[in-house]
Amino acid sequence: MDIKLKNRYTYILTFIICVYMFAIFSLSVEDIIKNRDYLKAEPYFTSSMFENEIAGYSNNIQALNETYKDFSKKSEDEKVTSEELMSSKSLYDSNFINKENEINEKYKNDILEAEQVGNKNKIIRLNDAKTREIEEFKKEDTKTLMDLKKEIIAYKTEDYENIKKAVEGKSNIKYYLTKGKNNVMDTNIADVTDINLYVKNNALYSIKFSQKSLENNIQMNSIYQWLGTSGEIYFIIPKGINQNSYTYKNYIYSNSVRQRIIKEVIIGFVALIIGITFILILRKNNEEIAFIQKSKKWYQKIPLDVKIFIFIFYFFIISFYMSRVSFFYKPYNLGHVYILTVIAMYIFYIYLNFRVVLGFRKNKQLFRDEVKKCLFNNLSKRCIILLTVVFAVSLLGAVITLMAGSILIIIPISYAFCYMLFIIIYSLNKIRFFNNIIKGTQEIVSGNLNYNIEEKGRGDLFQLAHNINNMKASFKKSLENEIKSERLKSELITNVSHDLKTPLTSIINYVDLLKKEGLTKEESNGYIDILDRKSQRLKILIDDLFEASKMASGAVQLNMEKLDVIALLQQALAELDEKINNSSLIFKLKVPGQKVYANLDGKRTWRVFENLINNILKYTLPNTRVYIELLVDGDKIIISMKNISSYEMDFDNEEIFERFIRGDMSRNTEGSGLGLSIAKSILELQGGNLSIEIDGDLFKAKVIVPLFTVEG
């Protein structure tokens, strides 16, 4: 097999011929299987049709020899038995009564309606009409026993003549019934002495039955009973059979079909050999045309379970089509080309599936990936069960109707087709939606956190798109917080460096000045005072830093006790009274008249109030009022401190609690930037909270602590 294809057009032609050869082979195999009974040596005489014909013929023979034996010689009284006459009389009487009951039922409802309304005239008129109809029927259809006897004789005479005509004379079937050698019981063959010689010289076909051969033959059971133990019967189709007879026409037709089937066997075998030869040629050249490659790529995009569904459905459609279509007949016309093309397209489809299966065999991972991409893997179990049941029912209906041979096969086939069409459209929509989700995830992975996946419909894919969008939003927010946190950390390092470096630099500079000779007493004392302030400033910064670290780690020992919060607040204001008086601010305090208790660490809570009041003194606009209010709300104590800022507050509420963050971004004021952070940590450790609200230039700090309650 050393044949090389020179160009792609030759390859295309070779492939088309190969596909069409397999189509011819498939059609021949289908027709051979469908007509396999005609391959026997005598297709008609060995068929069930001929067997039924012989069975009917043998029943006629038995009737002539038993039921109608010497019928023409019998008198009229002998032709009809008393049992037959009485049976006919019973049947006639039953029909007569039924007819009379029908007439009564005909008038029954009308008479009842007339009785209900009390219409006596209508009742009388209906009863008279019913009586007249019954009497007329009796007059017209009254038969005596003699009439019935004549009917029976007429029927039996006609039946006898028909059977006699079918069996004797110019019958298409000859018979020879004997019980033992030379003991002829009955025959319609004239002047025969040797039946075997007659069969040899005159029979187109013959068959002999004995009691043993008929023992299990249900159709000829009556002959089996009639022959006895030694009886034999010959059925002979003579060579001179009437060519217009039913038997001869069936004989000729069956033989013609047999000849055609033999030719189909040869044609199918040759087509198979040619197809296999061309396959080997194509494999040796090892190339594919563009159309086949595109078809394979397109087909591979279909989910595996949809492929299987289409394969099964297509198989049933083609099987049904091939079982109904006739291809091997003359004259040849365009209809043959159409049929062959339909089957060739199916062969090409089988080829595509074969290539897919071959790919799975070579690459097991490819098969696993295809299973994961199955459409039903993306649908709910309830949906899978529903689709499977609906398809199974439609397919079962199609098979049952097909087996029944009904034209109504078009109903389940159409239903299954519409179902498949719905599944394909539904699947494509789901696949398109799924592809959109894949595209969205790729956008998000590439860093486009503003991309939003379209959410439409309902079901698992909608939920998946919704969850991905939520995850993206959460991730985006988390990323923004992380960036903000990194920025704050950077600012923390910068602020710590600045706040520690400033007093330290001053200390170094003034120490250098003190080292110089020729300083006066006053200059030295001035430098020492400055060193003292800067060192105290540095000490406060370091103490606050350690305090903030301890608070953040929670490694703080609290001394919780019942305290009067109002008294503690007033104490803090009193401690800072000098600073307050030296400022231009006016403090307004509003508290309840009775004591308000809370379970707190007094020293650390006092530190909270001190930090908040110091914060007010540093950053409040001069000559403005400061409002401090304490109130009880349920089980909470709320302390609010409101002041007008002396600078523009363009920072986030939460950022002000970060360490070393100040409202004064220029950092010109005294302070560590840890006050609010420490205050918030102290309150949270005690079950309270500190929040900040900003409204324009209005700065409001709100302290919340739990109200003291007695358990029990």
Side-chain angles (χ1 to χ4, degrees), residues 414-428:
S414 301
Y415 177 75
F417 175 77
C418 294
Y419 174 80
M420 184 186 71
L421 187 63
F422 164 76
I423 286 296
I424 291 174
I425 295 172
Y426 179 81
S427 303
L428 291 176

Side-chain angles (χ1 to χ4, degrees), residues 113-125:
E113 289 179 3
E115 289 176 349
Q116 289 175 356
V117 298
N119 192 340
K120 295 182 179 180
N121 293 330
K122 188 175 182 180
I123 295 171
I124 294 170
R125 187 169 66 254

Side-chain angles (χ1 to χ4, degrees), residues 348-362:
F348 177 70
Y349 172 73
I350 295 294
Y351 168 78
L352 286 180
N353 281 276
F354 173 76
R355 294 302 299 264
V356 169
V357 173
L358 193 63
F360 289 159
R361 184 181 177 186
K362 292 179 179 178

